[in-house]
Amino acid sequence: MLSEEFVSAVCGAPLTSNTAIAKDIGIYCHNLSPVYSVKSTFKKSSAPVNCLAASETHVFAAQHEKAYVHVYSRARGNQEAFVAFPERIRCLTLADDVLILGTAEGRLMLWETCTGRLISTPPRHVQAVSCVAATPYHVLTGSDDSDVHVWSLSHLLELGSESEHEPERTLSNHRAAITALSANASANPETNLCVSASKDKSCIIWNYQTGDALRTLLFPSFPLCISLDPSTRALFVSSDDGSLYLTELFAEKALLGPRSEDAATVVQVSSPFGATQPDTGPASCLGLSYDGTTLLTGHPRGQILKWDVVDNKTPVELANLNAAVSNLVFISPLPSKKRTKVLTIVKPSQANQNYKFTTQFETESGFEARLDSRFELLLNSAGFPGDALASQIETMQESTAGNAEARQQPEPSKETDELWTIIHEQRALLKHTMDRYVEAKPIR
């Protein structure tokens, strides 16, 4: 059975003098299934909403109203680095081994954690970047200026580019600050969907590849945080009045697809999936399991609640962290397909220097180094391996022999003879016609 893990972060001072909970713990690593437990903790962190990211090896946490990011090693269980940036960090996320940060000045920064390379864009947002989402090919940034920018990740990371970075497009249907973004990881331009939430009490579903607004959802109060189902079939929303909403995108009255109404039709969402108690407060962050059946909510009074999406039972309190819970991030339970792992991060630098890639190659069978794959065989051989050279020589010989056979093939004589016969017949017909013309021509 696959185990599910998630990471939570708190922001602010402890709410009570509870001696059972350490006062300086800011980040918790939890095991959700098969049995809930707290696996490890990290100290000295106060990460606001949208300021936590986690990978297989590290946890990154931007600090409240500061230009700092704390980096923690999950393997060693300690704080690995303290990283300072030129501007205050308002949000961050991970795209593979690249940490993407939004600043209070409206700027986007990308830090390659395995090289230390730092890319910074001009301040394309006129106000602070409030949230950021990443897909395998794009970066989306939401701002207090009510706009959502869509950036090409490959263009941002391009080496040697001298031009100033510009977003590919801007999504600008909102009329108030953007509070949250959620995007799927589709590679098909027709299904590249994202959802933006705003203080104008609306959520808009976009095709961010084309810039089309597919549907607008209106809520009784403004959304604080959102999360898309792993299969992009439903949207979970937490609003300012403590309500939780579950909106199915492909239900009987589909919001998307060929059976849906015109995109200009606004949908009023008024029936909540659940509601939190007044003493708990509205959910400031959401976390959805990878099978989409369990929803976790973090609250300003320190509670982490577990909701059953299928049966819609009364939520269960998993933990009380004695401080405002600001972030919930699930770790993928699926084995990684990456052949490298960043065990030690390289601090960012904008100075001109040689491009050095620091990483660890992963073996296929744990601790035993195997040479099964072609890549590992070439990597661990002195020069070119003999079988690789023999294979290439054989390929070249086959190609040469094939070309020789093509040159030696006899010409299709039957077709040639037929063409010459037609040519002779046309020539004879032309001569006969000209002879008759000469005979009929009168002599003057």
Side-chain angles (χ1 to χ4, degrees):
M1 180 179 181
L2 291 175
S3 61
E4 285 190 292
E5 301 177 12
F6 69 96
V7 181
S8 65
V10 298
C11 183
L15 300 174
T16 63
S17 57
N18 187 347
T19 57
I21 303 176
K23 295 182 179 180
D24 56 349
I25 293 179
I27 297 174
Y28 298 79
C29 296
H30 311 256
N31 190 66
L32 179 61
S33 63
V35 178
Y36 172 77
S37 62
V38 177
K39 297 181 61 178
S40 58
T41 58
F42 299 108
K43 298 181 178 181
K44 298 179 181 179
S45 178
S46 180
V49 175
N50 298 327
C51 285
L52 181 74
S55 67
E56 294 181 347
T57 56
H58 291 87
V59 176
F60 303 86
Q63 301 305 295
H64 181 59
E65 294 297 331
K66 295 180 180 179
Y68 307 141
V69 172
H70 292 182
V71 183
Y72 302 90
S73 171
R74 296 183 62 196
R76 293 185 289 271
N78 62 355
Q79 183 173 341
E80 180 178 321
F82 173 88
V83 183
F85 289 90
E87 299 174 8
R88 287 185 293 121
I89 306 301
R90 283 285 306 273
C91 56
L92 58 79
T93 190
L94 271 174
D96 203 0
D97 293 330
V98 179
L99 187 68
I100 304 170
L101 310 103
T103 74
E105 304 299 323
R107 200 183 306 272
L108 187 64
M109 294 184 180
L110 293 90
W111 166 29
E112 289 185 346
T113 58
C114 52
T115 67
R117 179 177 173 226
L118 183 64
I119 302 105
S120 180
T121 71
R124 297 306 182 195
H125 286 288
V126 297
Q127 295 187 43
V129 181
S130 56
C131 49
V132 60
T135 73
Y137 306 104
H138 293 87
V139 177
L140 294 91
T141 56
S143 170
D144 290 343
D145 63 9
S146 78
D147 286 341
V148 176
H149 288 338
V150 181
W151 308 76
S152 170
L153 184 57
S154 59
H155 290 171
L156 290 171
L157 297 176
E158 183 179 1
L159 290 171
S161 177
E162 300 295 335
S163 60
E164 289 190 345
H165 297 290
E166 296 277 354
E168 286 189 343
R169 63 189 55 84
T170 298
L171 314 178
S172 56
N173 286 22
H174 285 292
R175 296 295 178 264
I178 306 297
T179 58
L181 281 173
S182 184
N184 67 359
S186 172
N188 186 343
E190 298 297 325
T191 57
N192 281 343
L193 302 180
C194 77
V195 182
S196 58
S198 170
K199 288 186 177 181
D200 61 9
K201 300 183 181 181
S202 72
C203 286
I204 300 180
I205 305 172
W206 307 84
N207 182 324
Y208 62 83
Q209 184 79 7
T210 62
D212 296 329
L214 305 179
R215 185 67 63 191
T216 300
L217 310 177
L218 289 180
F219 296 88
S221 61
F222 74 84
L224 292 175
C225 51
I226 58 177
S227 180
L228 271 173
D229 178 85
S231 58
T232 320
R233 297 187 61 86
L235 173 67
F236 295 85
V237 178
S238 169
S239 63
D240 185 50
D241 61 0
S243 300
L244 290 173
Y245 296 91
L246 168 58
T247 303
E248 296 187 20
L249 306 183
F250 302 97
E252 183 177 351
K253 294 183 178 180
L255 300 180
L256 303 177
R259 296 189 296 111
S260 64
E261 299 179 359
D262 182 66
T265 304
V266 177
V267 177
Q268 182 73 45
V269 182
S270 56
S271 300
F273 163 76
T276 57
Q277 299 298 323
D279 58 342
T280 303
S284 55
C285 54
L286 300 177
L288 196 62
S289 63
Y290 272 73
D291 60 1
T293 61
T294 301
L295 177 69
L296 301 183
T297 57
H299 300 269
R301 301 300 300 173
Q303 297 94 338
I304 297 179
L305 301 183
K306 175 183 176 183
W307 303 74
D308 191 324
V309 176
V310 178
D311 297 331
N312 194 15
K313 298 179 180 178
T314 304
V316 177
E317 183 177 308
L318 283 183
N320 191 323
L321 306 183
N322 196 32
V325 181
S326 55
N327 293 271
L328 292 171
V329 177
F330 267 87
I331 307 296
S332 174
L334 305 177
S336 174
K337 296 181 180 180
K338 293 175 54 180
R339 303 302 300 276
T340 61
K341 180 183 291 187
V342 180
L343 293 183
T344 303
I345 60 103
V346 181
K347 286 190 175 183
S349 173
Q350 288 183 311
N352 293 327
Q353 58 184 2
N354 294 330
Y355 191 79
K356 297 181 180 179
F357 184 79
T358 305
T359 190
Q360 173 180 305
F361 288 99
E362 292 289 284
T363 59
E364 293 184 356
S365 60
F367 300 102
E368 299 179 359
R370 299 176 58 190
L371 303 179
D372 293 344
S373 72
R374 177 178 175 80
F375 175 77
E376 289 174 336
L377 178 64
L378 294 172
L379 180 67
N380 291 278
S381 299
F384 292 99
D387 58 345
L389 291 174
S391 174
Q392 293 302 317
I393 292 172
E394 183 180 354
T395 302
M396 293 176 63
Q397 291 175 344
E398 290 177 356
S399 176
T400 304
N403 294 335
E405 289 181 5
R407 288 194 298 269
Q408 293 174 3
Q409 286 182 355
E411 295 183 358
S413 57
K414 183 178 179 180
E415 287 82 354
T416 305
D417 293 342
E418 291 178 354
L419 288 173
W420 277 114
T421 301
I422 295 172
I423 292 172
H424 291 320
E425 290 177 352
Q426 294 295 324
R427 285 179 177 177
L429 179 61
L430 178 62
K431 184 176 181 303
H432 177 69
T433 304
M434 293 302 298
D435 291 343
R436 294 184 62 182
Y437 173 75
V438 172
E439 292 175 356
K441 185 176 181 181
I443 300 177
R444 296 180 180 177

